[in-house]
Amino acid sequence: KKQFTQVKMKQRGAWEVARRKTYASEDGNIQKLVGNHDHASAVRARIINSAKCLLAEEGYSKTTIRKIVEHSGILTGSIYYFFKNKEDIFHAILLELMRDCIRRINLRFQNESPLFIYAAVCQVELKVLADNQIVRDSYKKGYDSIIIFEGMIAQFHEMARNLFNGTKYERSDEEYYENTLMIKGAMHACLTEMSFRRPISLPRSRERLIRMACEMFGTKKEAAEIASKIREYGSIWEDIGVELVEKPISSLPCEYEF
């Protein structure tokens, strides 16, 4: 046990040394991550976008910290400065993708209700999962991990609060959480059924989920109207999904920041 503890202490020491030796500036001075917010944000964004690119190309299982180091050019110590492990990086990617998804939806639909934005985020996620096998496999790993899935719940919970607080869709914090748990559970079921041998209409499953989610926060009439709009704008969700997978995570301002 003592020997194991000494090894762990040496590893932490090596990570700390690597962290402090992060990037040299043009005049040869060492730039430290601590105390340089802009630089730290840029490094973190580079890690996230590199990991996102690898996940889209190789999937969750084949994406390792070593590959992220090679792809990003960021030292291992710097990666561990920001993230505890690969699961933590994946959780951060999901959060940034959700924010980026809302930004891209807002650019296209500036006069729609918060409930429409919420439904659109669900639609984009499910459309990407249906269209991209590698992304689908990565998300399945996330949904199957209690840590990551709990993080997904927390993200959607926070998104609902930021979208709906101060509107007619506002709920108590407990209701937000309960509704989110039901909706993400249904999305997990939609993801799972994509692998079923029995032929299933994925568009019909998505529409039922959208109606269910909207009815939890709005009326049945609103849910039907939003589901109809979602269906009408079908190609837009595919476009947004492709942008999220292929482009670096955007830094555009988001009306519903969280």
Side-chain angles (χ1 to χ4, degrees):
K1 184 176 180 181
K2 182 178 179 182
Q3 196 173 31
F4 175 76
T5 303
Q6 289 175 340
V7 169
K8 297 298 287 184
M9 289 178 68
K10 286 181 180 179
Q11 288 177 338
R12 291 195 194 101
W15 291 344
E16 180 63 18
V17 169
R19 181 180 71 78
R20 292 181 179 277
K21 289 184 178 179
T22 314
Y23 303 108
S25 62
E26 291 182 3
D27 61 2
N29 295 323
I30 298 296
Q31 280 192 336
K32 292 183 180 179
L33 293 174
V34 179
N36 191 335
H37 181 268
D38 291 341
H39 179 63
S41 296
V43 171
R44 185 178 184 277
R46 190 169 173 183
I47 295 167
I48 287 175
N49 276 312
S50 289
K52 171 181 169 288
C53 182
L54 288 167
L55 283 167
E57 291 177 355
E58 302 186 19
Y60 185 82
S61 299
K62 293 183 180 179
T63 298
T64 63
I65 295 294
R66 176 173 292 183
K67 286 186 178 180
I68 295 171
V69 169
E70 293 172 353
H71 189 279
S72 66
I74 307 295
L75 295 174
T76 305
S78 296
I79 292 177
Y80 282 111
Y81 174 82
F82 290 104
F83 305 103
K84 293 181 291 185
N85 49 39
K86 188 172 77 170
E87 283 185 329
D88 198 24
I89 297 174
F90 189 48
H91 179 263
I93 291 171
L94 293 178
L95 177 59
E96 294 302 332
L97 282 174
M98 184 186 297
R99 288 171 169 166
D100 202 19
C101 183
I102 294 175
R103 294 185 188 105
R104 295 180 187 280
I105 291 168
N106 282 335
L107 285 173
R108 291 168 168 86
F109 302 98
Q110 298 180 6
N111 299 314
E112 292 290 351
S113 70
L115 189 56
F116 176 89
I117 302 300
Y118 186 94
V121 171
C122 296
Q123 173 70 10
V124 170
E125 178 178 323
L126 292 171
K127 189 70 173 73
V128 171
L129 296 180
D131 293 345
N132 191 308
Q133 177 72 49
I134 295 177
V135 174
R136 182 159 68 247
D137 290 344
S138 294
Y139 260 73
K140 191 174 186 308
K141 293 287 185 182
Y143 273 103
D144 290 345
S145 163
I146 294 176
I147 294 173
I148 296 177
F149 185 62
E150 190 174 10
M152 291 178 175
I153 299 295
Q155 290 171 359
F156 255 68
H157 176 205
E158 190 67 13
M159 179 181 72
R161 288 198 307 182
N162 282 275
L163 285 170
F164 300 147
N165 277 357
T167 74
K168 65 180 181 179
Y169 309 112
E170 184 172 356
R171 297 289 186 273
S172 69
D173 194 64
E174 186 176 353
E175 286 178 302
Y176 280 138
Y177 186 84
E178 290 171 351
N179 289 356
T180 298
L181 191 58
M182 293 291 290
I183 292 164
K184 290 304 289 182
M187 293 178 77
H188 188 187
C190 283
L191 169 61
T192 303
E193 74 175 0
M194 293 175 192
S195 302
F196 285 180
R197 288 173 293 179
R198 176 176 174 172
I200 294 172
S201 172
L202 297 180
R204 188 164 63 242
S205 292
R206 288 197 296 269
E207 182 164 333
R208 287 183 176 179
L209 187 147
I210 296 299
R211 281 175 176 262
M212 180 196 76
C214 290
E215 286 178 15
M216 286 185 173
F217 294 104
T219 66
K220 285 190 175 183
K221 181 181 178 181
E222 285 178 297
E225 290 172 351
I226 288 173
S228 177
K229 284 185 178 180
I230 295 289
R231 195 186 324 114
E232 179 185 346
Y233 298 126
S235 62
I236 292 179
W237 315 126
E238 183 175 352
D239 293 341
I240 293 174
V242 170
E243 290 172 8
L244 290 172
V245 172
E246 296 183 354
K247 293 184 178 181
I249 291 173
S250 169
S251 59
L252 295 171
C254 177
E255 182 181 353
Y256 304 105
E257 196 64 80
F258 56 96

